[in-house]
């Protein structure tokens, strides 16, 4: 009897903690959800407006990835991560550099104004 009460109390406590966390961070969850939905909508628009050749390339890339995971059954997460980093590093560096130039420009303007 005591064991059931402690299990219920722990479960209720966990649910309460999760509800409190969601209530405290609701704004963040809404923003992330909106950004996710905007990404999905833009992705759909991109695919619909892409040329037929690009659609075939995207389709073959996704299908080959799915086939590899089905056939192998094992996913080498480290290799997948390294390939993703290699492919996206140039974009990340470009965005970082653009961010630095914008921040520096704003700081320079602010400095000269005052």
């Amino acid at each position: 009897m005591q064991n059931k009460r402690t299990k219920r109390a722990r479960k209720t406590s966990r649910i309460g903690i999760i509800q409190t966390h969601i209530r405290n961070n609701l704004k963040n969850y809404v923003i992330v959800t909106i950004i996710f939905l905007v990404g999905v909508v833009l992705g759909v628009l991109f695919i619909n407006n892409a040329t037929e050749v690009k659609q075939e390339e995207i389709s073959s890339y996704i299908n080959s990835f799915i086939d590899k995971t089905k056939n192998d059954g094992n996913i080498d997460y480290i290799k997948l991560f390294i390939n993703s980093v290699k492919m996206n590093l140039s974009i990340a560096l470009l965005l970082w550099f653009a961010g630095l130039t914008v921040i520096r420009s704003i700081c320079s303007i602010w400095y000269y104004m005052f």
Side-chain angles (χ1 to χ4, degrees):
M1 193 65 142
Q2 184 74 6
N3 194 15
K4 285 184 180 181
R5 286 182 187 164
T6 57
K7 282 184 181 179
R8 258 191 237 143
R10 275 192 233 138
K11 188 174 182 179
T12 306
S13 174
R14 288 180 189 156
I15 292 172
I17 290 171
I18 292 170
Q19 288 174 342
T20 304
H21 173 76
I22 290 173
R23 247 185 264 118
N24 291 340
N25 297 302
L26 185 61
K27 181 179 171 184
N28 295 337
Y29 284 115
V30 169
I31 290 171
V32 169
T33 303
I34 290 171
I35 290 171
F36 177 76
L37 292 175
V38 166
V40 169
V41 169
L42 289 177
V44 168
L45 291 174
F46 171 76
I47 295 297
N48 286 338
N49 292 326
T51 62
E52 190 173 327
V53 174
K54 287 289 184 184
Q55 286 180 351
E56 289 176 10
E57 286 178 12
I58 293 168
S59 177
S60 66
Y61 176 77
I62 292 172
N63 288 334
S64 68
F65 180 77
I66 291 172
D67 289 340
K68 283 181 184 179
T69 55
K70 280 184 182 177
N71 293 339
D72 296 342
N74 296 334
I75 299 174
D76 187 5
Y77 293 107
I78 294 173
K79 188 175 180 181
L80 184 63
F81 175 74
I82 290 171
N83 285 339
S84 296
V85 168
K86 284 180 185 177
M87 294 182 81
N88 294 312
L89 189 61
S90 61
I91 294 172
L93 290 174
L94 180 67
L95 288 173
W96 176 72
F97 180 73
L100 284 178
T101 56
V102 168
I103 292 171
R104 182 171 180 190
S105 299
I106 291 172
C107 290
S108 298
I109 293 169
W110 187 263
Y111 177 75
Y112 289 117
M113 286 177 64
F114 298 104

